[in-house]
Amino acid sequence: MVDILHRVGVESSSPEKVYDALTTLEGLSGWWTDDTTGSTETGGVIAFRFPPGGFDMEVVDQRPGEAVTWKVVEGPEEWVGTTVGWQLRQDGEHTIVLFKHQGWREPVEFMHHCSTKWATYLMSLKSLLETGVGAPAPRDVHVAFPD
Amino acid sequence: MVDILHRVGVESSSPEKVYDALTTLEGLSGWWTDDTTGSTETGGVIAFRFPPGGFDMEVVDQRPGEAVTWKVVEGPEEWVGTTVGWQLRQDGEHTIVLFKHQGWREPVEFMHHCSTKWATYLMSLKSLLETGVGAPAPRDVHVAFPD
């Protein structure tokens, strides 16, 4: 079992503001993909769509200002059944975002790609919160092809 | 044992050009850190220095246009003994760079940080090769603090 792990520190924000960006359609569409629909309630399913395809995430757990956990219920074969987790905390001037995409069965090349791509989306989340402007798809940072 | 994995695709380049950026002091200082010294020969040790500290990497293996492997011989405790590997290949218009930082003993928070930071340095490498300008330290992209 191999995981994708990341961390960013967001300036001039708070765990509550980051939590909003992870748990509302407006927030999610500001950093991950314009085409975000569905239910962000616990037990709901959020549909994230990108030009090449997309993911449906079930909202497994949400603790305001602290943590969010999604489970992938539709999407690329390698993603289905994996979990995406976010942990938030304040550390001085920064809101620390710990990210884990867990449950990959094999460290396939697609996983390498997704790891780099997640990093650019975390930077997009950081930018959204710090400047008001993220880089969600289709205005995302391209790391390879197709992405 | 947990690994940091990444992949980028570099446009308008070649495995040989990426290899040069990984195996010459001029290339390495163009995307990772201005302060790169030492020997890039196989068996040599390259010293990478950043404002907060640095790493000494022993060059374990080099196959022109194909692969480079370093072993960390000095640096943060979590890094010493880990290996950093690069694999290169051409796929149509893109040079694919597969990156693995292997041998981490525990998925500590510092590893999350390094995973995100490596992604930004891989994007710096991609930018150097595509545009002639990378973002090496101290002009690197900040993902948290201190970094």
Side-chain angles (χ1 to χ4, degrees):
Chain A
M1 207 77 99
V2 283
D3 303 333
I4 294 172
L5 307 175
H6 286 297
R7 185 183 78 152
V8 292
V10 184
E11 292 181 60
S12 309
S13 191
S14 67
E16 289 71 26
K17 287 180 186 167
V18 178
Y19 183 82
D20 283 346
L22 298 174
T23 57
T24 65
L25 295 179
E26 184 188 356
L28 291 162
S29 64
W31 65 268
W32 202 16
T33 177
D34 278 359
D35 190 354
T36 302
T37 58
S39 164
T40 61
E41 301 296 306
T42 302
V45 174
I46 314 173
F48 299 99
R49 293 293 176 272
F50 302 80
F55 318 105
D56 287 355
M57 302 279 197
E58 181 188 338
V59 181
V60 174
D61 187 41
Q62 304 194 104
R63 280 173 281 145
E66 289 183 18
V68 174
T69 307
W70 301 324
K71 182 175 179 178
V72 183
V73 291
E74 287 286 346
E77 181 190 349
E78 298 92 336
W79 278 52
V80 174
T82 61
T83 59
V84 174
W86 307 82
Q87 289 175 274
L88 314 175
R89 72 169 197 273
Q90 194 66 17
D91 186 346
E93 298 294 305
H94 289 72
T95 305
I96 301 298
V97 181
L98 277 182
F99 170 91
K100 301 178 202 288
H101 185 177
Q102 296 181 296
W104 289 79
R105 287 173 287 276
E106 298 289 339
V108 292
E109 184 164 328
F110 181 50
M111 183 181 171
H112 295 64
H113 168 78
C114 293
S115 175
T116 314
K117 193 76 184 179
W118 269 126
T120 64
Y121 280 123
L122 281 158
M123 294 302 284
S124 169
L125 170 65
K126 174 176 161 72
S127 175
L128 173 68
L129 290 155
E130 291 178 349
T131 73
V133 182
R139 298 175 302 288
D140 50 319
V141 173
H142 287 254
V143 305
F145 72 100
D147 69 327
Chain B
M1 206 78 99
V2 282
D3 303 333
I4 294 171
L5 307 175
H6 286 298
R7 183 183 80 152
V8 293
V10 184
E11 291 182 59
S12 309
S13 191
S14 68
E16 290 71 27
K17 286 179 186 167
V18 178
Y19 184 82
D20 283 348
L22 298 174
T23 57
T24 65
L25 294 179
E26 184 188 354
L28 291 162
S29 64
W31 66 267
W32 203 16
T33 176
D34 279 358
D35 190 353
T36 301
T37 57
S39 165
T40 61
E41 301 295 306
T42 303
V45 174
I46 314 174
F48 299 99
R49 294 292 177 271
F50 303 79
F55 318 105
D56 287 355
M57 302 279 197
E58 182 187 337
V59 182
V60 174
D61 187 40
Q62 303 194 103
R63 281 172 282 146
E66 289 182 19
V68 174
T69 308
W70 301 324
K71 182 175 180 179
V72 183
V73 292
E74 287 286 347
E77 180 190 350
E78 298 91 338
W79 278 52
V80 174
T82 61
T83 59
V84 174
W86 306 83
Q87 288 175 275
L88 313 174
R89 71 168 196 274
Q90 195 65 18
D91 186 345
E93 299 294 306
H94 289 73
T95 306
I96 302 297
V97 181
L98 278 182
F99 170 91
K100 299 178 203 289
H101 186 178
Q102 297 180 297
W104 289 78
R105 287 172 289 275
E106 297 289 339
V108 291
E109 184 164 331
F110 181 49
M111 182 181 171
H112 295 64
H113 169 78
C114 293
S115 176
T116 314
K117 193 75 184 178
W118 269 124
T120 64
Y121 280 123
L122 281 158
M123 295 301 284
S124 169
L125 171 64
K126 174 176 161 70
S127 175
L128 174 68
L129 290 155
E130 291 178 347
T131 72
V133 182
R139 297 174 303 288
D140 50 318
V141 173
H142 287 254
V143 306
F145 72 99
D147 66 330

